[in-house]
Each structure stands twice: as structure tokens, then as C-alpha cells.
Amino acid sequence: MTSIALLGTGLMGAPMAVCILKAGHTLAVWNRSMDKAAGLAAQGARVCATPAEAVAGADIVITMLADGPTVTSVLFAQGTAAALKTGSIVVDMSSIPPDIAREHAATLAAQGVLHLDAPVSGGTKGAAAGTLAIMAGGTEDAFARAKPVLESMGRPVLIGPSGTGQIAKLANQAIVGITIGAVAEALLLAAANGADPAKVREALTGGFADSMILKQHGQRMLDRAWAPGAPVKTQVKDLRTIMAAAKSAGLDLPIAARVTALYEDLLAEGYGNCDHSAYLLELEHINPGKRLGDKPDQMPT
Amino acid sequence: MTSIALLGTGLMGAPMAVCILKAGHTLAVWNRSMDKAAGLAAQGARVCATPAEAVAGADIVITMLADGPTVTSVLFAQGTAAALKTGSIVVDMSSIPPDIAREHAATLAAQGVLHLDAPVSGGTKGAAAGTLAIMAGGTEDAFARAKPVLESMGRPVLIGPSGTGQIAKLANQAIVGITIGAVAEALLLAAANGADPAKVREALTGGFADSMILKQHGQRMLDRAWAPGAPVKTQVKDLRTIMAAAKSAGLDLPIAARVTALYEDLLAEGYGNCDHSAYLLELEHINPGKRLGDKPDQMPT
């Protein structure tokens, strides 16, 4: 029985909050637009008007926010840090650049608050099922204390010191972005050569080409169902961070670079709010006249 | 109880033969170098000196050979086709170009023999476990008759008419080759930024980056264990067929093209007999001074 606060109850944060409540913890929630948090009251959460109110007295503060600047703002520009209990742990499950995560950890350490960067993979389905892959960076002590709560949301693994959870998430996103590209190319190749791409996807299951992306995003491509899921604009944000991390390490990652350029084009063409499986639209765009199947595109509302 | 012949008892064919025998079928086997087939005698197979001898009287003839020209030679230049029983089925489980598979089907049809192209994915582990993904092209009748035998080796799916099994395999290999590249880039990125790549691989399991390739080939990269598995030269053969199929369909597949060029370089540098996860060596080659871990390379013997 730990007292927990969760800041950010969007597409991911809301089902994560439900998992925490189901595990029997006391939970206070806050969201910038309060209507997204309101529904959690019926499930036992205390809905707060400010992040400072939510974190007061909490042992563990979870943040699940859009990007690095948002996390910085919510923690340090809205009175939240000042309201944190000494000895409490901030677990930032947002996906943000590793260097910003390390800055947050250092700033909080100065006031006696621990920090874990603990971004996730598995999407809204994984969040609802409590099966997220959770990649944690920080001290063993902080990880051990946060672990029971993290286990209510998925499978936490301590990667190493502060920032390495975010680095693991970059590795995750590089694989996700590239594998979406691989599945799009493979299905379009099969269709252009006269094979039924739905049968191809089915047949590939269980072989070496099998993956979460083939199963879930391959099906989205066949259905041309572009409501997110994870939007293109978020994938591009992650790919830009990947390219920056590669550059600062002096690394040439030729496939990630090619995929990033194509995702950037897709974003520039106005598809930022589509699910990232809409990479298929970019592949079709550079192949005029080619199209995977004849179903209509289902655009996000 | 069906009388079966299997031509080609190499890395894949030998464990497939064992699965067929375990299912209770009568099996005759042949291999170019007979020593590779000899061990199957103790498991109940009849070991034959020529392919013609093996196929005589067989209801179903399975071929598991290196490439298109080898299948053509074994079927049509060594007296094999003439020895086939009218009404029997040739199930070619080799990975060969779709147009050659269609030619074989047409030539055999003229003498009253059915043909399925039914290449597989899942590697030697999948072959040993009887869990191969089997992608079949041909008539529904031929598929229905061969299905019980195919099920002893894995999960068969009929994709469509003759050649479409091979097209599905090309889709499979495009995903496999690209995903190996994705895992190599992701692990090297993580290591270059100070995260333990073994922990990263472990943490990513269960998230959207999870795949057969991350699990098996990711581990090979961490161990730097380059004994195949599936060799680079075979992956290059498949990627060349993919590029040819894309070109003939007028398709630009930018990621597959980039990965093919890098695999071609790896082959040219003399790594053809390494497992295809040795793509990592090419990524390290274009990034002088960067290396995933400090274990020694385990080269194939």
C-alpha cells in the first residue's frame, strides 16, 4: 500500500492509472485538461486541480507526459518540485531525451528526491493489459522501491544509471520505426507480385519475420486504419532524438536515417496525427499508382 | 500413412525428415553428399543413392535444396521427374524465385504431377521443433492433400496460386533482413550511449520492438556467435530475388535496397558463411572504432 500520484492521464496514463488502482494503491491524479482525469474518480482516484496538490504526501510520483519540455514544465515551473516529499521517488515514464532525464535526476537529487527514467513500450493495449515493457534508468535502491508499483503496469527491467532507460527506449523506437517500414515494404511487394497480403501476414506468423509490429501494425496497414495508437508526430519526435543521440556518439545508422527521412516527409505532408503504421502512405507516395488493397483509408477523427 | 520422399537433407531438411518420421509416415531420403542422409537410417528412413530411386512410388515428394538452379537440376536433369508417380505431388520447400517455381509447376502438370511451392521460415530451431511457418502456393486440392504432412513440420498456410508461396517467402526475408539491421543499429546505438545492450535486449522483450529476430539474432549479436543458422550468402541470394521482384513490379523499396547494399558489402568482404546476424559486422565496419561489447568473434568453422 503505497501513496502514489500520477501526472498525465492521456491515452497511456489513464489505463496505467487503472492498473495502479487495481493493485490496491492509493492514487491521486492530475491532467492538464481535467476532463481526461475525471473518469478515474469513479475507479477510486483522487482527481486534483494542480500537479502540486496531487504530489503532496505521495511516496511515488509518476509522470506520463508528451515530451521533455512538458515534463520540465510540470515538475519545475508549476510548484510541483517544491511540494514533493523528501525521500519520495519521481518515476518519469514519458519518452524524453536521455540528457534531459539526467538533468531532472540531478535537480531532484539536490532536494533529496530520487528519480527513475522509466519509459515504456507496448502501446495502449499493453497499458490496458498491464503488460508494458518498462525500461528503467536510475539507482538500484530507487528501482527496488518503485518496482512493486511498476509491476502493476508491466515488466520493469533496470538497464543502468540515470538516462539509460531513455536510451533503451530510443533503441526500442529505432526498431519499431524500422520494422514498420519493413512490414510496409514486404506487404506492398507481395501485393504488387500478385499475392494476397492478408494471407502473407497470416502465414508469416510464427516464422522469423514474426513480431508485434507484423501482428498489430501489419493488420492496421491491411485495414488502412490510421487512427492512433501512437501518432506519426510522436514517432518523428523519437526518431529525431535517435538521430541526435547517434550524431553525438559519432554513429552512422543508415537504416534509421533513411526511415527518419521518410517519416519526416510523411509528417510534412500532414499525416502527423495518423498512427505510425501510416508509414505505408509514404511508401505508396514514392511509388505512384501502387496501393495495398482497395479498402478506404480510415483517417483519425 | 503416406509414402514420402525428401530430397535434400541439409541443415533444414534433416530435422524436417525427423518430424515426418515421428508423424508415422514412410520416408525415403536422398542427399547429394550421402553422409548427410546416412544418419536418418537409424530413425527409420530409407536412404537412397539417387533422387530417382527415392521418389519411385512416393505420393508426396519434398525438395529442400539450395536454390532455383539446384531444384531444376535435381528434378529435371537427374531422371527424377521421369520416376514420379502420376498424381503424386512435388512440394518444393526450397526458397527459389517465384517465376522458376511457376515453371516447375507447369512442367510437372504436363506429366500429371501436382506442384506446391512451400518455402519455410523459422530456421533450424523451427525445423527441429516442427513449428516452421510454411507459405504455400498452388491449388486448393494439392494443398489439402499435402497439408497433413506439412503439419508434421509446422503451420502451413495456402497463400494463393502457384508462385505465391515464394512471394510470401520474399516478404518474409525482406522483413528478416531489415529487422536484423534494425536490431543491430538499436543495440549499437544503446551501447554507444552508455547502456548495457544485453539489458536493453531483455527490457525490450514484450514491447513493440519484440520479435523473433530481437530474441534470437539479438542474442547472437551480443554473443558475437556467427556460426549459422542461416548464412549471409543465402540472405543475399534472397535479397537479390527481392530486388528483382521489386524491379519487375516497378516498386521502389528504399529500406530493402539499403539493407541489400550493406549485405552485399558484407558478402564481398568474405563473411558469406557467417550467420546473417553478422550484419552487425558491416554496421561496425562503416563505423570505425565502434564495437558491440568486448567478447571475441566466434567465426564459423
mmCIF file of all heavy atoms in Angstrom, chain A residues 7-51:
data_model
loop_
_atom_site.group_PDB
_atom_site.id
_atom_site.type_symbol
_atom_site.label_atom_id
_atom_site.label_comp_id
_atom_site.label_asym_id
_atom_site.label_seq_id
_atom_site.Cartn_x
_atom_site.Cartn_y
_atom_site.Cartn_z
ATOM 1 N N LEU A 7 0.792 12.051 -12.876
ATOM 2 C CA LEU A 7 0.585 13.313 -13.598
ATOM 3 C C LEU A 7 0.545 13.010 -15.092
ATOM 4 O O LEU A 7 1.544 12.551 -15.653
ATOM 5 C CB LEU A 7 1.715 14.291 -13.275
ATOM 6 C CG LEU A 7 2.031 14.490 -11.777
ATOM 7 C CD1 LEU A 7 3.191 15.477 -11.600
ATOM 8 C CD2 LEU A 7 0.790 14.969 -11.013
ATOM 9 N N GLY A 8 -0.612 13.227 -15.710
ATOM 10 C CA GLY A 8 -0.748 12.961 -17.141
ATOM 11 C C GLY A 8 -1.578 11.718 -17.370
ATOM 12 O O GLY A 8 -1.064 10.600 -17.328
ATOM 13 N N THR A 9 -2.888 11.912 -17.589
ATOM 14 C CA THR A 9 -3.787 10.765 -17.749
ATOM 15 C C THR A 9 -4.351 10.740 -19.162
ATOM 16 O O THR A 9 -5.568 10.690 -19.367
ATOM 17 C CB THR A 9 -4.924 10.816 -16.709
ATOM 18 O OG1 THR A 9 -5.619 12.054 -16.872
ATOM 19 C CG2 THR A 9 -4.391 10.703 -15.300
ATOM 20 N N GLY A 10 -3.454 10.756 -20.147
ATOM 21 C CA GLY A 10 -3.867 10.709 -21.547
ATOM 22 C C GLY A 10 -4.092 9.270 -22.014
ATOM 23 O O GLY A 10 -4.431 8.395 -21.228
ATOM 24 N N LEU A 11 -3.848 9.036 -23.323
ATOM 25 C CA LEU A 11 -4.060 7.707 -23.932
ATOM 26 C C LEU A 11 -3.361 6.596 -23.162
ATOM 27 O O LEU A 11 -3.888 5.499 -23.014
ATOM 28 C CB LEU A 11 -3.530 7.702 -25.371
ATOM 29 C CG LEU A 11 -4.413 8.302 -26.459
ATOM 30 C CD1 LEU A 11 -3.682 8.284 -27.796
ATOM 31 C CD2 LEU A 11 -5.731 7.535 -26.564
ATOM 32 N N MET A 12 -2.153 6.877 -22.673
ATOM 33 C CA MET A 12 -1.373 5.872 -21.940
ATOM 34 C C MET A 12 -1.599 5.984 -20.435
ATOM 35 O O MET A 12 -1.759 4.970 -19.740
ATOM 36 C CB MET A 12 0.126 6.053 -22.241
ATOM 37 C CG MET A 12 0.536 5.739 -23.666
ATOM 38 S SD MET A 12 0.330 3.985 -24.091
ATOM 39 C CE MET A 12 1.623 3.256 -23.083
ATOM 40 N N GLY A 13 -1.565 7.218 -19.914
ATOM 41 C CA GLY A 13 -1.624 7.427 -18.468
ATOM 42 C C GLY A 13 -2.924 6.917 -17.852
ATOM 43 O O GLY A 13 -2.908 6.358 -16.733
ATOM 44 N N ALA A 14 -4.039 7.078 -18.557
ATOM 45 C CA ALA A 14 -5.338 6.678 -17.977
ATOM 46 C C ALA A 14 -5.394 5.167 -17.716
ATOM 47 O O ALA A 14 -5.705 4.748 -16.591
ATOM 48 C CB ALA A 14 -6.483 7.132 -18.879
ATOM 49 N N PRO A 15 -5.089 4.307 -18.709
ATOM 50 C CA PRO A 15 -5.112 2.866 -18.396
ATOM 51 C C PRO A 15 -4.033 2.458 -17.390
ATOM 52 O O PRO A 15 -4.231 1.504 -16.628
ATOM 53 C CB PRO A 15 -4.896 2.198 -19.762
ATOM 54 C CG PRO A 15 -4.377 3.247 -20.675
ATOM 55 C CD PRO A 15 -4.900 4.557 -20.159
ATOM 56 N N MET A 16 -2.908 3.148 -17.365
ATOM 57 C CA MET A 16 -1.880 2.860 -16.353
ATOM 58 C C MET A 16 -2.427 3.166 -14.952
ATOM 59 O O MET A 16 -2.178 2.423 -13.993
ATOM 60 C CB MET A 16 -0.614 3.667 -16.649
ATOM 61 C CG MET A 16 0.159 3.152 -17.868
ATOM 62 S SD MET A 16 1.316 4.362 -18.612
ATOM 63 C CE MET A 16 2.427 4.657 -17.261
ATOM 64 N N ALA A 17 -3.186 4.270 -14.831
ATOM 65 C CA ALA A 17 -3.799 4.621 -13.542
ATOM 66 C C ALA A 17 -4.740 3.515 -13.073
ATOM 67 O O ALA A 17 -4.759 3.149 -11.890
ATOM 68 C CB ALA A 17 -4.561 5.944 -13.678
ATOM 69 N N VAL A 18 -5.496 2.965 -14.013
ATOM 70 C CA VAL A 18 -6.434 1.886 -13.663
ATOM 71 C C VAL A 18 -5.669 0.668 -13.127
ATOM 72 O O VAL A 18 -6.071 0.050 -12.135
ATOM 73 C CB VAL A 18 -7.308 1.507 -14.888
ATOM 74 C CG1 VAL A 18 -8.166 0.292 -14.589
ATOM 75 C CG2 VAL A 18 -8.176 2.694 -15.306
ATOM 76 N N CYS A 19 -4.531 0.335 -13.765
ATOM 77 C CA CYS A 19 -3.714 -0.790 -13.287
ATOM 78 C C CYS A 19 -3.227 -0.548 -11.858
ATOM 79 O O CYS A 19 -3.218 -1.464 -11.034
ATOM 80 C CB CYS A 19 -2.501 -0.994 -14.202
ATOM 81 S SG CYS A 19 -2.916 -1.736 -15.792
ATOM 82 N N ILE A 20 -2.803 0.681 -11.587
ATOM 83 C CA ILE A 20 -2.288 1.024 -10.248
ATOM 84 C C ILE A 20 -3.401 0.892 -9.210
ATOM 85 O O ILE A 20 -3.191 0.361 -8.112
ATOM 86 C CB ILE A 20 -1.699 2.453 -10.266
ATOM 87 C CG1 ILE A 20 -0.445 2.492 -11.138
ATOM 88 C CG2 ILE A 20 -1.394 2.931 -8.843
ATOM 89 C CD1 ILE A 20 0.038 3.899 -11.463
ATOM 90 N N LEU A 21 -4.593 1.389 -9.562
ATOM 91 C CA LEU A 21 -5.739 1.299 -8.641
ATOM 92 C C LEU A 21 -6.112 -0.157 -8.376
ATOM 93 O O LEU A 21 -6.378 -0.552 -7.233
ATOM 94 C CB LEU A 21 -6.939 2.064 -9.215
ATOM 95 C CG LEU A 21 -6.806 3.588 -9.188
ATOM 96 C CD1 LEU A 21 -7.833 4.239 -10.111
ATOM 97 C CD2 LEU A 21 -6.958 4.114 -7.757
ATOM 98 N N LYS A 22 -6.120 -0.966 -9.445
ATOM 99 C CA LYS A 22 -6.479 -2.385 -9.307
ATOM 100 C C LYS A 22 -5.518 -3.114 -8.367
ATOM 101 O O LYS A 22 -5.887 -4.093 -7.716
ATOM 102 C CB LYS A 22 -6.462 -3.077 -10.676
ATOM 103 C CG LYS A 22 -7.735 -2.861 -11.488
ATOM 104 C CD LYS A 22 -7.699 -3.720 -12.749
ATOM 105 C CE LYS A 22 -8.877 -3.413 -13.664
ATOM 106 N NZ LYS A 22 -8.607 -3.858 -15.050
ATOM 107 N N ALA A 23 -4.245 -2.647 -8.333
ATOM 108 C CA ALA A 23 -3.245 -3.287 -7.469
ATOM 109 C C ALA A 23 -3.413 -2.863 -6.012
ATOM 110 O O ALA A 23 -2.664 -3.321 -5.145
ATOM 111 C CB ALA A 23 -1.841 -2.961 -7.969
ATOM 112 N N GLY A 24 -4.379 -1.956 -5.744
ATOM 113 C CA GLY A 24 -4.712 -1.622 -4.357
ATOM 114 C C GLY A 24 -3.994 -0.412 -3.793
ATOM 115 O O GLY A 24 -4.050 -0.169 -2.590
ATOM 116 N N HIS A 25 -3.316 0.369 -4.667
ATOM 117 C CA HIS A 25 -2.607 1.548 -4.171
ATOM 118 C C HIS A 25 -3.551 2.745 -4.072
ATOM 119 O O HIS A 25 -4.577 2.803 -4.740
ATOM 120 C CB HIS A 25 -1.444 1.897 -5.112
ATOM 121 C CG HIS A 25 -0.441 0.801 -5.259
ATOM 122 N ND1 HIS A 25 0.391 0.423 -4.234
ATOM 123 C CD2 HIS A 25 -0.159 -0.022 -6.306
ATOM 124 C CE1 HIS A 25 1.164 -0.567 -4.649
ATOM 125 N NE2 HIS A 25 0.849 -0.866 -5.899
ATOM 126 N N THR A 26 -3.157 3.710 -3.213
ATOM 127 C CA THR A 26 -3.858 4.992 -3.126
ATOM 128 C C THR A 26 -3.324 5.878 -4.238
ATOM 129 O O THR A 26 -2.109 6.049 -4.367
ATOM 130 C CB THR A 26 -3.572 5.656 -1.762
ATOM 131 O OG1 THR A 26 -3.996 4.751 -0.741
ATOM 132 C CG2 THR A 26 -4.324 6.975 -1.632
ATOM 133 N N LEU A 27 -4.205 6.458 -5.050
ATOM 134 C CA LEU A 27 -3.746 7.202 -6.227
ATOM 135 C C LEU A 27 -4.405 8.568 -6.343
ATOM 136 O O LEU A 27 -5.637 8.687 -6.331
ATOM 137 C CB LEU A 27 -4.031 6.385 -7.506
ATOM 138 C CG LEU A 27 -3.555 7.025 -8.818
ATOM 139 C CD1 LEU A 27 -2.026 7.088 -8.865
ATOM 140 C CD2 LEU A 27 -4.092 6.267 -10.031
ATOM 141 N N ALA A 28 -3.555 9.601 -6.479
ATOM 142 C CA ALA A 28 -4.020 10.944 -6.837
ATOM 143 C C ALA A 28 -3.610 11.203 -8.279
ATOM 144 O O ALA A 28 -2.491 10.852 -8.679
ATOM 145 C CB ALA A 28 -3.388 11.984 -5.914
ATOM 146 N N VAL A 29 -4.510 11.776 -9.071
ATOM 147 C CA VAL A 29 -4.191 12.040 -10.475
ATOM 148 C C VAL A 29 -4.396 13.509 -10.826
ATOM 149 O O VAL A 29 -5.212 14.200 -10.223
ATOM 150 C CB VAL A 29 -5.045 11.169 -11.436
ATOM 151 C CG1 VAL A 29 -4.733 9.687 -11.252
ATOM 152 C CG2 VAL A 29 -6.533 11.435 -11.251
ATOM 153 N N TRP A 30 -3.617 13.942 -11.811
ATOM 154 C CA TRP A 30 -3.793 15.290 -12.365
ATOM 155 C C TRP A 30 -3.572 15.215 -13.869
ATOM 156 O O TRP A 30 -2.748 14.431 -14.347
ATOM 157 C CB TRP A 30 -2.781 16.279 -11.765
ATOM 158 C CG TRP A 30 -2.737 17.572 -12.529
ATOM 159 C CD1 TRP A 30 -3.569 18.659 -12.373
ATOM 160 C CD2 TRP A 30 -1.833 17.926 -13.591
ATOM 161 N NE1 TRP A 30 -3.238 19.654 -13.261
ATOM 162 C CE2 TRP A 30 -2.173 19.233 -14.028
ATOM 163 C CE3 TRP A 30 -0.775 17.255 -14.207
ATOM 164 C CZ2 TRP A 30 -1.495 19.881 -15.053
ATOM 165 C CZ3 TRP A 30 -0.100 17.913 -15.253
ATOM 166 C CH2 TRP A 30 -0.456 19.218 -15.660
ATOM 167 N N ASN A 31 -4.346 16.016 -14.600
ATOM 168 C CA ASN A 31 -4.112 16.159 -16.036
ATOM 169 C C ASN A 31 -4.357 17.611 -16.432
ATOM 170 O O ASN A 31 -5.200 18.278 -15.838
ATOM 171 C CB ASN A 31 -5.039 15.242 -16.838
ATOM 172 C CG ASN A 31 -4.550 15.055 -18.264
ATOM 173 O OD1 ASN A 31 -3.511 14.434 -18.491
ATOM 174 N ND2 ASN A 31 -5.284 15.623 -19.223
ATOM 175 N N ARG A 32 -3.600 18.086 -17.427
ATOM 176 C CA ARG A 32 -3.739 19.481 -17.859
ATOM 177 C C ARG A 32 -5.189 19.793 -18.217
ATOM 178 O O ARG A 32 -5.756 20.761 -17.743
ATOM 179 C CB ARG A 32 -2.809 19.745 -19.054
ATOM 180 C CG ARG A 32 -2.727 21.200 -19.458
ATOM 181 C CD ARG A 32 -1.888 21.355 -20.708
ATOM 182 N NE ARG A 32 -2.290 20.373 -21.732
ATOM 183 C CZ ARG A 32 -1.819 20.336 -22.977
ATOM 184 N NH1 ARG A 32 -0.899 21.203 -23.341
ATOM 185 N NH2 ARG A 32 -2.221 19.424 -23.835
ATOM 186 N N SER A 33 -5.802 18.952 -19.063
ATOM 187 C CA SER A 33 -7.251 19.094 -19.291
ATOM 188 C C SER A 33 -7.938 18.108 -18.340
ATOM 189 O O SER A 33 -7.848 16.901 -18.515
ATOM 190 C CB SER A 33 -7.627 18.830 -20.746
ATOM 191 O OG SER A 33 -6.831 17.821 -21.295
ATOM 192 N N MET A 34 -8.611 18.687 -17.346
ATOM 193 C CA MET A 34 -9.098 17.881 -16.220
ATOM 194 C C MET A 34 -10.129 16.837 -16.629
ATOM 195 O O MET A 34 -10.286 15.807 -15.959
ATOM 196 C CB MET A 34 -9.707 18.788 -15.152
ATOM 197 C CG MET A 34 -8.975 18.692 -13.816
ATOM 198 S SD MET A 34 -9.755 19.760 -12.588
ATOM 199 C CE MET A 34 -10.161 18.568 -11.317
ATOM 200 N N ASP A 35 -10.826 17.075 -17.753
ATOM 201 C CA ASP A 35 -11.865 16.124 -18.178
ATOM 202 C C ASP A 35 -11.280 14.729 -18.448
ATOM 203 O O ASP A 35 -11.953 13.722 -18.272
ATOM 204 C CB ASP A 35 -12.610 16.651 -19.421
ATOM 205 C CG ASP A 35 -11.649 16.934 -20.567
ATOM 206 O OD1 ASP A 35 -10.559 17.500 -20.299
ATOM 207 O OD2 ASP A 35 -11.969 16.575 -21.716
ATOM 208 N N LYS A 36 -9.996 14.697 -18.872
ATOM 209 C CA LYS A 36 -9.380 13.386 -19.138
ATOM 210 C C LYS A 36 -9.084 12.609 -17.860
ATOM 211 O O LYS A 36 -8.895 11.401 -17.893
ATOM 212 C CB LYS A 36 -8.089 13.552 -19.944
ATOM 213 C CG LYS A 36 -8.338 13.885 -21.413
ATOM 214 C CD LYS A 36 -7.052 13.810 -22.219
ATOM 215 C CE LYS A 36 -7.284 14.292 -23.646
ATOM 216 N NZ LYS A 36 -6.025 14.539 -24.355
ATOM 217 N N ALA A 37 -9.003 13.316 -16.724
ATOM 218 C CA ALA A 37 -8.747 12.653 -15.444
ATOM 219 C C ALA A 37 -10.044 12.320 -14.711
ATOM 220 O O ALA A 37 -10.082 11.397 -13.892
ATOM 221 C CB ALA A 37 -7.860 13.541 -14.565
ATOM 222 N N ALA A 38 -11.103 13.074 -15.011
ATOM 223 C CA ALA A 38 -12.338 12.999 -14.216
ATOM 224 C C ALA A 38 -12.883 11.576 -14.119
ATOM 225 O O ALA A 38 -13.342 11.138 -13.053
ATOM 226 C CB ALA A 38 -13.389 13.928 -14.814
ATOM 227 N N GLY A 39 -12.824 10.827 -15.242
ATOM 228 C CA GLY A 39 -13.378 9.475 -15.269
ATOM 229 C C GLY A 39 -12.733 8.531 -14.273
ATOM 230 O O GLY A 39 -13.314 7.502 -13.911
ATOM 231 N N LEU A 40 -11.508 8.860 -13.828
ATOM 232 C CA LEU A 40 -10.784 7.975 -12.908
ATOM 233 C C LEU A 40 -11.311 8.077 -11.475
ATOM 234 O O LEU A 40 -11.011 7.208 -10.647
ATOM 235 C CB LEU A 40 -9.285 8.282 -12.953
ATOM 236 C CG LEU A 40 -8.616 7.926 -14.296
ATOM 237 C CD1 LEU A 40 -7.255 8.595 -14.418
ATOM 238 C CD2 LEU A 40 -8.489 6.405 -14.436
ATOM 239 N N ALA A 41 -12.093 9.131 -11.176
ATOM 240 C CA ALA A 41 -12.657 9.284 -9.830
ATOM 241 C C ALA A 41 -13.547 8.098 -9.485
ATOM 242 O O ALA A 41 -13.501 7.559 -8.375
ATOM 243 C CB ALA A 41 -13.449 10.593 -9.738
ATOM 244 N N ALA A 42 -14.337 7.654 -10.468
ATOM 245 C CA ALA A 42 -15.263 6.530 -10.246
ATOM 246 C C ALA A 42 -14.509 5.236 -9.930
ATOM 247 O O ALA A 42 -15.056 4.315 -9.323
ATOM 248 C CB ALA A 42 -16.141 6.337 -11.478
ATOM 249 N N GLN A 43 -13.232 5.181 -10.347
ATOM 250 C CA GLN A 43 -12.424 3.980 -10.103
ATOM 251 C C GLN A 43 -11.612 4.095 -8.814
ATOM 252 O O GLN A 43 -10.799 3.220 -8.522
ATOM 253 C CB GLN A 43 -11.494 3.741 -11.296
ATOM 254 C CG GLN A 43 -12.223 3.942 -12.631
ATOM 255 C CD GLN A 43 -11.956 2.816 -13.607
ATOM 256 O OE1 GLN A 43 -11.646 1.695 -13.215
ATOM 257 N NE2 GLN A 43 -12.089 3.129 -14.885
ATOM 258 N N GLY A 44 -11.792 5.224 -8.102
ATOM 259 C CA GLY A 44 -11.145 5.339 -6.793
ATOM 260 C C GLY A 44 -10.003 6.330 -6.724
ATOM 261 O O GLY A 44 -9.385 6.479 -5.670
ATOM 262 N N ALA A 45 -9.704 7.030 -7.831
ATOM 263 C CA ALA A 45 -8.608 8.004 -7.797
ATOM 264 C C ALA A 45 -9.099 9.334 -7.235
ATOM 265 O O ALA A 45 -10.266 9.701 -7.403
ATOM 266 C CB ALA A 45 -8.048 8.210 -9.200
ATOM 267 N N ARG A 46 -8.176 10.045 -6.564
ATOM 268 C CA ARG A 46 -8.466 11.409 -6.124
ATOM 269 C C ARG A 46 -8.018 12.333 -7.253
ATOM 270 O O ARG A 46 -6.836 12.366 -7.604
ATOM 271 C CB ARG A 46 -7.683 11.699 -4.833
ATOM 272 C CG ARG A 46 -7.918 13.079 -4.229
ATOM 273 C CD ARG A 46 -7.370 13.150 -2.803
ATOM 274 N NE ARG A 46 -5.950 12.848 -2.727
ATOM 275 C CZ ARG A 46 -4.971 13.754 -2.836
ATOM 276 N NH1 ARG A 46 -5.251 15.039 -3.004
ATOM 277 N NH2 ARG A 46 -3.707 13.381 -2.741
ATOM 278 N N VAL A 47 -8.958 13.056 -7.871
ATOM 279 C CA VAL A 47 -8.643 13.910 -9.008
ATOM 280 C C VAL A 47 -8.294 15.310 -8.507
ATOM 281 O O VAL A 47 -9.075 15.921 -7.770
ATOM 282 C CB VAL A 47 -9.822 13.968 -10.002
ATOM 283 C CG1 VAL A 47 -9.479 14.859 -11.195
ATOM 284 C CG2 VAL A 47 -10.183 12.553 -10.475
ATOM 285 N N CYS A 48 -7.104 15.788 -8.886
ATOM 286 C CA CYS A 48 -6.594 17.048 -8.338
ATOM 287 C C CYS A 48 -6.564 18.143 -9.409
ATOM 288 O O CYS A 48 -6.420 17.865 -10.601
ATOM 289 C CB CYS A 48 -5.193 16.845 -7.789
ATOM 290 S SG CYS A 48 -5.156 15.608 -6.476
ATOM 291 N N ALA A 49 -6.652 19.393 -8.942
ATOM 292 C CA ALA A 49 -6.706 20.532 -9.855
ATOM 293 C C ALA A 49 -5.306 20.994 -10.269
ATOM 294 O O ALA A 49 -5.156 21.648 -11.312
ATOM 295 C CB ALA A 49 -7.472 21.680 -9.208
ATOM 296 N N THR A 50 -4.288 20.692 -9.460
ATOM 297 C CA THR A 50 -2.920 21.091 -9.803
ATOM 298 C C THR A 50 -1.983 19.908 -9.538
ATOM 299 O O THR A 50 -2.266 19.051 -8.687
ATOM 300 C CB THR A 50 -2.426 22.280 -8.934
ATOM 301 O OG1 THR A 50 -2.279 21.829 -7.574
ATOM 302 C CG2 THR A 50 -3.400 23.457 -8.988
ATOM 303 N N PRO A 51 -0.847 19.873 -10.271
ATOM 304 C CA PRO A 51 0.115 18.789 -10.016
ATOM 305 C C PRO A 51 0.667 18.864 -8.586
ATOM 306 O O PRO A 51 0.920 17.821 -7.972
ATOM 307 C CB PRO A 51 1.209 19.015 -11.067
ATOM 308 C CG PRO A 51 1.004 20.395 -11.597
ATOM 309 C CD PRO A 51 -0.430 20.726 -11.412
#
